[in-house]
Amino acid sequence: MQSKIKLLPEHVIKTISVLEKRIADRFPESGLRNTCADFLEIAKKSKTNIEWIAKPNVALRLFSYLIILIGLGGIAFGISNVEFKIEDTTITNIVALSEAVFNDIILLGAAIFFLVGMESRQKRKRALEMLNELRVTAHVIDMLQLTKDPSLINSNLRATVNSPKRSLTKFEMERYLDYSSELASLIAKIGALYSQSLPDEVVVRSVNEIEILCTGLSRKIWQKIMILNQIED
């Protein structure tokens, strides 16, 4: 029995949109807000791609079937025009004819294999291109939270010339890290939409890799939040 539980792209996009507004309320000029806005556009583009992937490509299928029928008709026509005569049925002639027919069948089989898989390869290529954008977005989020060190909150350490600017309060850093964790989780959800619509082995493996990446990122962020919660105000 097929499961009726599915991720809905519009719900995920709505969640990303709300998150972008929440980030804008607290960090309007931050890189995190800009990254979330870019991610929202990627999510909208992904929805269009996923809808395209879920639909059969009728034109491509008809073209493939037409080429296959032409190939089968060509082989049938060639065999039907071979003149069989008793005096010509030598071993050499039979072997030569069998070899020619066998070669045609092998070539036609390879053509059929290529044409039948053309639609899935086309969809896989588009899915992998978008999944790569999701992977890059996850790495950008990881870069943005690198300098958010909870151990330096309320620290009297003297900053150097090249030290990153640390102006966030404890509460602001906690919200920043929490938003980053939510973003990482939503990236994994957009990836899951692709594997849901196209259960291709290559696509599913790529989605799993993104999920592992985002889970590791969220775990690292929550470790910082736990450290932050142990610091006294």
Side-chain angles (χ1 to χ4, degrees):
M1 183 177 178
Q2 188 176 5
S3 175
K4 295 183 180 180
I5 301 176
K6 288 186 177 180
L7 278 172
L8 298 178
E10 53 270 20
H11 289 179
V12 181
I13 290 173
K14 182 179 179 181
T15 304
I16 298 169
S17 179
V18 172
L19 178 59
E20 192 271 333
K21 292 180 176 65
R22 289 165 58 203
I23 296 173
D25 289 341
R26 295 192 185 277
F27 311 103
E29 304 299 328
S30 66
L32 188 66
R33 188 267 177 97
N34 294 333
T35 302
C36 188
D38 292 340
F39 174 50
L40 179 59
E41 294 304 313
I42 292 174
K44 291 177 180 178
K45 192 190 304 181
S46 291
K47 181 178 181 294
T48 302
N49 279 340
I50 288 166
E51 290 173 350
W52 180 83
I53 287 171
K55 293 178 182 179
N57 192 330
V58 178
L60 184 59
R61 290 185 182 186
L62 290 176
F63 172 75
S64 300
Y65 296 153
L66 178 62
I67 297 299
I68 292 171
L69 287 175
I70 291 174
L72 290 172
I75 292 178
F77 178 79
I79 293 176
S80 66
N81 281 274
V82 175
E83 295 183 2
F84 293 98
K85 296 181 180 180
I86 300 297
E87 59 272 17
D88 292 336
T89 54
T90 62
I91 295 296
T92 302
N93 290 340
I94 292 175
V95 170
L97 177 62
S98 299
E99 183 179 0
V101 172
F102 182 74
N103 288 338
D104 288 342
I105 292 174
I106 291 295
L107 290 174
L108 181 61
I112 291 174
F113 178 79
F114 175 80
L115 291 170
V116 169
M118 186 181 296
E119 181 180 0
S120 61
R121 287 194 301 273
Q122 193 178 54
K123 292 181 176 181
R124 179 195 301 163
K125 179 182 178 182
R126 183 173 292 193
L128 291 177
E129 287 175 352
M130 292 305 303
L131 289 172
N132 186 59
E133 289 195 37
L134 294 177
R135 186 180 292 107
V136 170
T137 303
H139 283 294
V140 171
I141 295 170
D142 190 22
M143 286 292 296
L144 290 172
Q145 64 85 38
L146 281 179
T147 58
K148 306 302 181 289
D149 190 345
S151 64
L152 296 179
I153 291 290
N154 300 329
S155 174
N156 294 322
L157 291 176
R158 185 169 61 87
T160 65
V161 175
N162 296 309
S163 294
K165 185 179 179 181
R166 305 182 191 276
S167 58
L168 298 181
T169 64
K170 177 184 174 182
F171 175 77
E172 288 174 335
M173 183 177 290
E174 183 178 4
R175 300 314 305 143
Y176 190 100
L177 293 172
D178 186 47
Y179 294 151
S180 299
S181 179
E182 288 186 48
L183 261 177
S185 178
L186 288 168
I187 288 173
K189 298 301 178 289
I190 293 295
L193 289 172
Y194 281 97
S195 60
Q196 176 180 272
S197 301
L198 184 63
D200 177 85
E201 181 182 357
V202 178
V203 172
V204 171
R205 184 167 61 246
S206 183
V207 169
N208 289 339
E209 291 172 356
I210 291 174
E211 186 171 357
I212 292 171
L213 172 64
C214 292
T215 300
L217 176 57
S218 291
R219 186 181 299 116
K220 181 165 55 176
I221 292 172
W222 274 99
Q223 286 174 348
K224 289 186 175 183
I225 293 176
M226 291 175 64
I227 295 172
L228 197 60
N229 288 333
Q230 294 173 359
I231 300 174
E232 295 181 1
D233 294 324

